[in-house]
Amino acid sequence: GATSGVVNELLWVSEPLVCAAAGVALGPLGAGLLHLDPSVSTLDAGILREAARFTLAIAVTAAAMRLPAHWLRQNWRGLAVSLGPGMLLMWAAGALVTSVSLGLPVLLCLVVGAAVAPTDPVLSAPILTGRLAERAVPGPLRHAMTAESGINDGLGLPLVMLPVLLLTRP
């Protein structure tokens, strides 16, 4: 987050790619400075969980701050279509592709579909911000994608939890 302006304006690569490369370089496959294994240590699992929560909170807040005042009030109809039927269709499509390609049980396919259905605000931010985005992506489309990616993470939670509940409580 502290270097996103430099990354976005000078390097012409996305911040998630830079962060992934830094993680590999510092992790067990690289310099070995970081080694978090949530399957072995509850402390590591807690650190990773809280880091993920913090990252998501920052990303959703940044998405909300990029929207103009009153944008949601003026454009709620299109957003409702994208977040309602659109997200359910993406959930079903993700589950179908998983089923056809991996042959997993239906409930596992629904979990995978729910995980890939929401547009991630962290991954969409590089194409929605910066000088290049302002020149290449029309403002209304940038705002719609920003709002959708910021809101749908919370709406995706029931889509993930329903099959998980059915898997753990038959």
Side-chain angles (χ1 to χ4, degrees):
T3 62
S4 66
V6 173
V7 170
N8 206 7
E9 298 296 328
L10 299 178
L11 299 180
W12 292 80
V13 295
S14 69
E15 293 92 347
L17 180 61
V18 172
C19 290
V24 170
L26 296 174
L29 296 176
L33 299 175
L34 290 175
H35 184 72
L36 297 173
D37 190 351
S39 65
V40 174
S41 168
T42 56
L43 178 62
D44 288 356
I47 290 170
L48 289 173
R49 181 181 57 250
E50 296 308 317
R53 285 180 178 169
F54 182 73
T55 301
L56 184 60
I58 295 295
V60 170
T61 302
M65 291 173 58
R66 283 194 301 269
L67 287 176
H70 308 294
W71 188 92
L72 287 174
R73 189 175 299 128
Q74 296 166 352
N75 298 282
W76 68 269
R77 286 179 183 89
L79 197 56
V81 169
S82 172
L83 292 169
M87 191 147 162
L88 289 174
L89 286 172
M90 286 304 299
W91 181 36
L96 181 66
V97 167
T98 303
S99 176
V100 170
S101 62
L102 300 177
L104 296 174
V106 173
L107 289 176
L108 287 178
C109 293
L110 289 174
V111 172
V112 172
V116 299
T119 309
D120 189 69
V122 174
L123 298 177
S124 67
I127 62 168
L128 300 175
T129 58
R131 287 182 296 162
L132 181 61
E134 289 173 7
R135 283 184 282 156
V137 182
L141 180 60
R142 269 197 336 268
H143 300 319
M145 289 177 67
T146 298
E148 194 270 343
S149 70
I151 294 171
N152 70 10
D153 275 359
L155 293 176
L157 183 63
L159 301 180
V160 172
M161 294 311 295
L162 178 63
V164 167
L165 175 68
L166 293 174
L167 282 167
T168 57
R169 309 256 186 221

